[in-house]
Amino acid sequence: MLEQAWQFLVSHPAQFAAALGVHVALSAAALAIAAGIAIPTGIYAAHRPRAAFAAINVANVGRTLPSLAVLALVMPLLGTGFLPSLFALSLLALPPIMLNTLGGIRGIDPEIVDAARGMGMTTRGILAKIEWPLALPVIFAGLRTAAIQVISGAVLAAFIGGGGLGDFITAGIAMMAVPQLLVGAIPVTLLALGADYAFGALQCRITPRGLRPA
């Protein structure tokens, strides 16, 4: 079966390269958009109890929505194609990044913040030099989770014309062609594992030595 999948891949290199490029671009863009929205929002809400309560509840609701349901809800509003898929995947990536940003900032020992404030540091200085460095490993854990969800969820973008490796999977299922299905499924799995490893290594690297597990 794997040999047949390899033969299909060798016979369609341009089609595979185009699908892989779309999948990576879709996943990376969705993760960047979600991080650009969720991290500043999470930092803002972490210092305001009411905003934090609302953000946590909205993020928890977002986590319960299945990926396919989000794509199905977006399609009647925005149609089909790359941009609707990008919008839907960005929504899927928001909750884990938002929750980890909130948890990272709010989990800092209040005595550390009080000591910094007592030394005359401003709110912006405390955020830049204390809260952000201490919360960054937790935020990266959220990015790591979101990256895996987006890469796997991007497969479903094929159902609304978003392209990517999901085209091989949906075509393989429709035609009962397992080799063609594997041409899409195996690279997606490797991409997800690679992203998990890369973000895990970055998370370990940016964690202060004193906070690293023994």
Side-chain angles (χ1 to χ4, degrees):
M1 198 69 69
L2 290 175
E3 182 179 353
Q4 293 175 335
W6 175 253
Q7 291 175 354
F8 180 89
L9 176 60
V10 171
S11 60
H12 300 82
Q15 184 182 355
F16 174 79
L20 178 62
V22 170
H23 200 100
V24 172
L26 186 61
S27 301
L31 188 63
I33 291 171
I37 296 172
I39 293 176
T41 304
I43 292 173
Y44 174 85
H47 298 95
R48 295 162 179 83
R50 291 185 179 179
F53 178 79
I56 290 171
N57 280 280
V58 170
N60 284 330
V61 170
R63 292 180 67 181
T64 62
L65 294 176
S67 304
L68 188 57
V70 175
L71 290 166
L73 290 171
V74 167
M75 187 169 62
L77 300 174
L78 301 177
T80 60
F82 184 90
L83 290 178
S85 302
L86 177 61
F87 180 79
L89 290 172
S90 299
L91 289 179
L92 289 173
L94 283 171
I97 303 175
M98 176 83 72
L99 291 173
N100 276 53
T101 303
L102 278 166
I105 297 293
R106 299 182 76 186
I108 297 173
D109 190 343
E111 293 184 0
I112 297 176
V113 177
D114 289 340
R117 189 172 288 113
M119 294 174 65
M121 293 183 67
T122 63
T123 300
R124 183 174 297 181
I126 292 172
L127 174 62
K129 296 184 178 181
I130 295 177
E131 292 180 331
W132 175 253
L134 291 176
L136 196 56
V138 182
I139 296 173
F140 254 84
L143 287 168
R144 182 180 182 181
T145 302
I148 297 170
Q149 290 181 350
V150 166
I151 291 171
S152 57
V155 170
L156 301 175
F159 288 102
I160 61 171
L165 295 170
D167 285 342
F168 292 109
I169 297 175
T170 54
I173 293 173
M175 297 185 297
M176 298 298 293
V178 178
Q180 189 171 352
L181 185 152
L182 292 177
V183 169
I186 293 176
V188 169
T189 303
L190 293 177
L191 281 175
L193 291 174
D196 180 60
Y197 175 81
F199 275 101
L202 285 172
Q203 180 184 353
C204 181
R205 187 176 182 84
I206 64 176
T207 301
R209 291 184 180 274
L211 299 179
R212 295 178 187 177

